[in-house]
Amino acid sequence: MIKKLVYVYLVRYAEEQQDLALLSISTFQRALKDPNQLIRASALRVLSSIRVPIIVPIMMLAIKEASADLSPYVRKNAAHAIQKLYSLDPEQKEMLIEIIEKLLKDKSTLVAGSVVMAFEEVCPDRIDLIHKNYRKLCNLLVDVEEWGQVVIIHMLTRYARTQFVSPWRQGDVLEDNEKDFYDSDEEQKEKADKRKRPYAMDPDHRLLIRNTKPLLQSRNAAVVMAVAQLYWHIAPKSEAGIISKSLVRLLRSNREVQYIVLQNIATMSIQRKGMFEPYLKSFYVRSTDATMIKILKLEILTNLANEANISTLLREFQTYVKSQDKQFAAATIQTIGRCATSITEVSDTCLNGLVCLLSNRDEIVVAESVVVIKKLLQMQPMQHGEIIKHMAKLLDSITVPVARASILWLIGENCERVPKIAPDVLRKTAKSFTSEDDLVKLQILNLGAKLYLTNSKQTKLLTQYILNLGKYDQNYDIRDRTRFIRQLIVPNEKSGALSKYAKKIFLAQKPAPLLESPFKDRDHFQLGTLSHTLNTKATGYLELSNWPEVAPDPSVRNVEVIELAKEWTPAGKAKKENPDKKFYSESEEEEDSSESSSDSESESGSESGEDEEDDRSGDSAEDSGESGSEPEAGKGRAATRSRARGRGDSKDVDKEKENSKTSESSSGESSSIEESSSDSESESESESESESRKVTKEKEKKTKQERNPLTKDVSLLDLDDFNLVSTPVALPTPALSPSLIADLEGLNLSATSSVISVSTPVFVPGKTHVLLHRMSGKGLAAHYFFPRQPCIFGDKMVSVQITLNNTTDQKIENIHVGGKKLPMGMQMHVFNPIESLEPAGSITVSMGIDFCDSTQTASFQLCTKDDCFSVNIQPPVGELLLPVAMSEKDFKKEQGMLSGMNETSTTIIAAPQNFASSVILQKIVNVANVGVVPSGQDNIHRFAAKTVHSGSLMLVTVELKEGSTAQLIINTEKTVIGSVLLRELKPVLSQG
């Protein structure tokens, strides 16, 4: 208990006191083996909370181990730690994706939500990882914890929009195929032909909608909101109506929940009024509501208003106008104006009601009424001369600047309809001109100009007086407006050609304003997200894609071992005869055995019961879907058999290893493991291979064999092996799995570490190269740079990032890569076409190019909708490398093997200060993507890398001599690249 409390304390203060926390890392590593699952989880939680880059390898090792733990609680914490490690070091993304892929296969409901959260944080675009687990996630959804449900539902909403066709295309009106009572058979046949449509909902699409429906009854408001947005975005419109009742139920919650729910209802009610019309009274404003809630309810009531309910709503609005909350009262007046514009039958009623409000004692109410009346009169100016006269009389009593300015604008626009009143209004305002607000002064000037043009006889002197006052006003806007008007309306010798068009300019017909809902354009954001609430794209927001025109292949969601399950039908009978076999054949220990480490027999015995309970619940849930539990059982038995045979028969191990190579595409191995194993195998052909590398190679072979337990050539003769292994026999298990031993040895830098192991870049230069100049590209500019990251398109490719900029004022459409002119053997993975790039817009895309370990130029065409431009990418020699971590002993050994013709060297002369360790390191890693090798001598600096395409070692040594000279030595089989790199490094190290 004390240890748990200490760990809670450390989680709280680890980030603040990092140096002290580092001292306890060895304690956490020991605690990761503790028999108590809570201690193991707490240790991992603390370890991942120490945000120090130096312990990233230790964190990665701990997460790998915890992801295969027997306890689902520990695996859940491993999923949480993935996000922390990714935020600390994004370079670990590929290895983390491998762990996420494994955890996604976990059948425990405790783990599901957390691993999906990690997936959304690290690699939300890797939809391919979800395919095999889609049906399992749908079936487990009801049993997952509430916050896990929210994350999974949002992820599955995005998934559905990419994998299924739109259920809205044909509309929902024609889906009713019931025969009308009085129709004859011929008439019914004609109607049936009209109702025929090609759309049929995908069973997986229906599975998601069906399995989320019960969650509308959840006690958690976030879960209900998540299901509501899922139905809104992916369900047929005829079925989306069921969410309205659940959302209205949430309005009984606290004000924060009400605010979010009402915002989403306001967006929905614009497009589909019928969903919420039965619940109109639920949106009536209460006196206890907060102002923000009142305004949102007003918005919804306005959206739901129609000819049938407008009279009821207007009586409700009449009460709201009298509210003591002035902001709410002003919003109500705006609402009345919107109702008047949208429902023509009540336009006059609303206008008369607003005119009555002009006599209100409250200035804010009067001001808002004037502004709204002004907008309404713009729509029907011919019919309301009396109202304009009435407003002109109120000018003396109204003091709010916006209201006074609105009245003056109205009189100016309609000065010919009120010829007697307008000059008098100008006379009164001319007296008070100097004391008016700037907004009112501008409208007085406009009124004077309009009357000068229409009624010059009466207002000529008044207008000149006002123009003289405005000429010396303190506000420069008013002075500029005065000069402009004087030159335009008062003719003189200097007047330009515009003066004869003065009447058309000032008295032009003004378009009526559009009174629209502020929620009109919010529907392009996913409902229930922060971006929808703020009405702006928030950091990390993932946009919903448009429905695909043609549905992608649905077979990708089929579980791979379904065919094997059919062959093993007789084994099902054997399982019924001996029910004890299930307990030992389907446990998650065997399913995830590649990374697991069992501490003791007693621990596995105490926790396997809990795991098995989760397995059984997962299996029962999957039985309701399309993938049953029997294939998973077969998978568990196959894993057990392959492990047993791997220990007993070396020939079978080799055979299993060959089979596993053929199924690499479905094994989910990371590229780094493939590289290290393939490189170790290529190096093993050398006669002088060290004993340590032989040991490492054997361990990697064994690890790879264990990760691919299920081979393709399984025959019925092997069923005896299954039955033999599935009997409850306690087999001796090592304290640590081979893969874990190898990782620990690599962490401790022992003599048995692998020679070639790719590490993270020491430095990534920010230098960019021009791909396409904006003048050559007709406004399209392109730059490229090398991010020094493993390429996601292939392990032999160099990653290149291209930034495209639109420097024109028009949209550039269909940006893509056209014809390619590549040298022999060179390959290129291009970016997906970009539909459009907005004016002044910018977008960054990734490409992969296999330069075949040469600096040859990759030529291709960068095309738009209208043009194609020839461009070239030539890689610096330093970007054709990947950094390698190795010990000094291994470096010297490899350097001895790469002597003679494989060695090139040169002498460097520079000032002594340029030979400081930090300066040499900075200069070399700026030119070449190499890793630093620890050196026991101060005068020798060593760096190691391997070529991206062939994996050949590149060893760089800088040996400082006496005085101001140094020796630069490069050892590599790729002598051409070595000599080019030597030429690149020499001037860099020589200069000051």
Side-chain angles (χ1 to χ4, degrees), residues 769 771-774 777 779-785 801-808 812-817 831-847 860-864 869 871:
H769 310 269
L771 182 66
L772 178 64
H773 193 271
R774 61 186 178 84
L780 176 65
H783 295 78
Y784 68 93
F785 86 108
Q801 287 194 0
I802 298 176
T803 302
L804 302 166
N805 296 289
N806 182 358
T807 62
T808 68
I812 298 178
E813 297 181 345
N814 191 21
I815 304 173
H816 62 281
V817 173
F831 59 87
N832 293 328
I834 299 165
E835 292 183 3
S836 63
L837 189 59
E838 298 296 327
S842 177
I843 188 171
T844 300
V845 294
S846 295
M847 291 177 58
F860 57 98
Q861 287 186 325
L862 191 62
C863 300
T864 63
F869 312 100
V871 293

Side-chain angles (χ1 to χ4, degrees), residues 7 15 179 251 268 359 371 376 531 593 767 870 912 927 958:
Y7 282 178
E15 194 167 350
K179 180 178 177 180
L251 297 181
M268 295 180 191
S359 57
V371 174
L376 293 177
S531 297
S593 63
K767 182 181 179 183
S870 296
V927 172
V958 179

Side-chain angles (χ1 to χ4, degrees), residues 458-568:
Q458 281 185 293
T459 59
K460 182 176 182 179
L461 294 174
L462 263 178
T463 304
Q464 288 180 350
Y465 172 71
I466 292 169
L467 291 174
N468 287 332
L469 290 175
K471 183 178 180 181
Y472 302 104
D473 197 271
Q474 290 182 347
N475 187 293
Y476 57 82
D477 281 339
I478 296 169
R479 295 198 300 271
D480 289 349
R481 180 74 62 90
T482 303
R483 292 191 187 96
F484 170 71
I485 290 175
R486 187 188 294 276
Q487 291 297 321
L488 202 58
I489 66 172
V490 181
N492 56 37
E493 296 176 358
K494 296 181 180 179
S495 294
L498 275 179
S499 58
K500 57 184 177 183
Y501 300 110
K503 208 163 191 175
K504 289 185 178 180
I505 292 172
F506 280 103
L507 300 175
Q509 192 69 30
K510 311 294 190 301
L514 292 174
L515 301 178
E516 293 181 336
S517 168
F519 288 84
K520 183 181 179 184
D521 297 324
R522 286 202 193 187
D523 55 347
H524 63 276
F525 289 116
Q526 185 176 356
L527 297 186
T529 60
L530 179 63
S531 297
H532 176 268
T533 302
L534 301 177
N535 198 23
T536 185
K537 189 173 180 178
T539 305
Y541 173 72
L542 300 169
E543 291 186 359
L544 283 178
S545 60
N546 294 324
W547 294 101
E549 289 296 323
V550 179
D553 182 14
S555 64
V556 294
R557 289 183 290 277
N558 295 337
V559 180
E560 293 176 0
V561 291
I562 287 180
E563 294 300 323
L564 296 175
K566 292 178 182 177
E567 293 178 13
W568 295 340

Side-chain angles (χ1 to χ4, degrees), residues 752-771:
T752 58
S753 62
S754 175
V755 173
I756 299 181
S757 59
V758 177
S759 62
T760 56
V762 179
F763 174 75
V764 180
K767 182 181 179 183
T768 60
H769 310 269
V770 176
L771 182 66

